[in-house]
Amino acid sequence: VEMFIDIHAHAYRKPVPFPVQFCTAEELLQRYDELGIEKGVLLPIVSPEIYIPQANEDILDMAEQYPDRFIPYCNVDPRALTNSADAPLDRILNYYKERGCKGLGEVMLNVPVMDPLVQNLFRHAERVGLPVVFDGSDQKTGDFGLYDDPGLPQLEHTLQRFPDLIIFGHGPVFWAEIGRLETPGERSYIFNLKGGQVGRLPTGPIKEEGVVPKLFRRYPNLYGDLSDFTAHNAIARDPDYGPKFLTEFQDRLFFGTDICFKSMPVPLVDTLIQWRDQNKISETVFNKIARENAVKFFGLE
């Protein structure tokens, strides 16, 4: 049974050498069929910090091949068209919006959120009318993702500066702050110089709310991307608080997978179904998060 629409997925047109083996379009659809996902958003990677960059055209090709299953986003590195804070990035964004791209992302270059080039990209996204999703980091070098400080002040200033820009909160640095941090270093992982990654995420009950629920209450242009295990960790670490959070922000939270390789688990599917079946969340909340918010947001019906 197809219950879900995926706000966040990746695919490569052809395999690349490393570091991840994103699915092909067909492999992703196979996972979708197994998980009960009707369709999903394909996010191109354009900055080279970790993943091999791809063309927006690759995403458009896959979406044209499977128009009932894939929703294309475009992406642009903010260094494009002159590497300056007055680059006319709206020219690129308008071009791809006209070709059916429904959003911008996943923005992953490793500079601060308030970097003038990033702010210029967001300014143009607001003007053109495309929502944005970015990944975050707690480091300014040696990682991928936009840097923010503990407490996410740079995200908050961006939400204030661009009230008509819908920004999807995503990734460890964002979701770690659903509760008050024990230590700032638990916001993310970093690359180990010997290989692999080291780090931890916050665990255990939410003793005190963090900035994330407060930002949701304060800024109607903040939406939540529940993809990847960091978002699942945030809502599932406290089985009492998690359902309350989903219920309070039911109109702005979106199911997602962030499938980065063929066998990647997606525990969110089982958690949402379980919470619905145990009446921890209502049928209405489940349906909104699983698919109806996406149907409305993208005008799918």
Side-chain angles (χ1 to χ4, degrees), residues 179-196:
R180 187 173 168 179
L181 296 168
E182 295 289 336
T183 65
E186 67 181 356
R187 299 195 297 143
S188 194
Y189 297 89
I190 62 166
F191 289 103
N192 187 348
L193 298 178
K194 301 183 196 112

Side-chain angles (χ1 to χ4, degrees), residues 10-233:
H10 299 286
Y12 278 135
R13 185 172 56 89
K14 288 189 170 176
V16 300
F18 51 79
V20 290
Q21 298 298 321
F22 285 165
C23 295
T24 62
E26 291 72 22
E27 287 169 341
L28 185 58
L29 291 177
Q30 196 184 332
R31 285 304 307 281
Y32 276 6
D33 293 342
E34 289 162 12
L35 293 165
I37 298 170
E38 180 190 332
K39 59 184 70 172
V41 170
L42 286 185
L43 303 172
I45 302 294
V46 300
S47 301
E49 274 82 346
I50 176 169
Y51 301 117
I52 305 272
Q54 56 188 150
N56 292 313
E57 285 67 26
D58 288 3
I59 302 296
L60 287 171
D61 273 355
M62 292 185 267
E64 281 162 21
Q65 202 179 347
Y66 301 101
D68 300 334
R69 307 296 303 269
F70 292 139
I71 298 160
Y73 268 34
C74 62
N75 203 351
V76 53
D77 191 294
R79 291 168 282 214
L81 301 186
T82 68
N83 192 31
S84 68
D86 54 9
L89 299 177
D90 53 334
R91 290 173 57 187
I92 302 179
L93 297 177
N94 273 317
Y95 174 90
Y96 286 111
K97 188 182 182 185
E98 283 166 14
R99 273 148 191 80
C101 293
K102 301 288 191 187
L104 166 67
E106 183 178 0
V107 179
M108 288 170 63
L109 72 164
N110 191 200
V111 300
V113 176
M114 290 302 292
D115 182 294
L117 273 67
V118 173
Q119 293 289 299
N120 183 50
L121 176 61
F122 287 179
R123 175 171 70 97
H124 285 302
E126 180 186 48
R127 190 178 289 168
V128 170
L130 292 174
V132 173
V133 59
F134 65 89
D135 207 346
S137 175
D138 67 345
Q139 302 297 312
K140 289 181 194 166
T141 56
D143 200 7
F144 63 92
L146 297 179
Y147 170 82
D148 206 342
D149 312 280
L152 308 180
Q154 299 191 44
L155 171 61
E156 183 163 11
H157 284 319
T158 304
L159 290 162
Q160 291 164 343
R161 192 177 248 183
F162 309 117
D164 297 323
L165 175 66
I166 286 167
I167 298 178
F168 279 87
H170 165 70
V173 168
F174 180 79
W175 286 113
E177 302 231 28
I178 194 169
R180 187 173 168 179
L181 296 168
E182 295 289 336
T183 65
E186 67 181 356
R187 299 195 297 143
S188 194
Y189 297 89
I190 62 166
F191 289 103
N192 187 348
L193 298 178
K194 301 183 196 112
Q197 285 177 289
V198 289
R200 67 190 180 88
L201 291 179
T203 53
I206 310 284
K207 301 189 191 90
E208 187 186 332
E209 281 192 325
V211 296
V212 162
K214 296 170 187 174
L215 292 174
F216 270 110
R217 290 180 196 123
R218 197 165 280 171
Y219 302 102
N221 52 328
L222 177 63
Y223 286 39
D225 170 340
L226 293 172
S227 70
D228 116 18
F229 69 96
T230 63
H232 181 260
N233 173 73

